[in-house]
Amino acid sequence: MAPAGFHLPFPDIEIRTDPPGTLGSFVKVSEVLNSPVWERDPLRLEDFWDLLPPNLRYCEVSLLLR
């Protein structure tokens, strides 16, 4: 999985994966989990964001800084 489009606004940054059957670690983990990778069409970061696990350490620091 690789981000691209850093020249775009943050929500529009594109997330792409390697094609199935390649040696990338994301593809290997996806195959083990029987979870297909998307091939050609990138996902926008904004659409992908809610699927990411929370970073609890970041949340703790954010709360302390308030």
Side-chain angles (χ1 to χ4, degrees):
M1 182 169 60
F6 287 117
H7 63 285
L8 300 169
F10 188 74
D12 294 327
I13 291 174
E14 299 172 343
I15 307 296
R16 302 172 183 267
T17 64
D18 294 329
T22 58
L23 299 177
S25 59
F26 185 80
V27 173
K28 288 181 181 180
V29 170
S30 294
E31 289 171 353
V32 167
L33 297 175
N34 198 25
S35 175
V37 295
W38 61 97
E39 296 182 45
R40 296 185 180 177
D41 299 326
L43 291 175
R44 291 176 59 236
L45 182 59
E46 182 176 53
D47 298 333
F48 191 71
W49 189 259
D50 290 337
L51 302 174
L52 298 174
N55 183 334
L56 297 180
R57 181 165 167 74
Y58 172 78
C59 293
E60 291 169 5
V61 170
S62 295
L63 290 173
L64 290 173
L65 295 175
R66 289 185 183 184

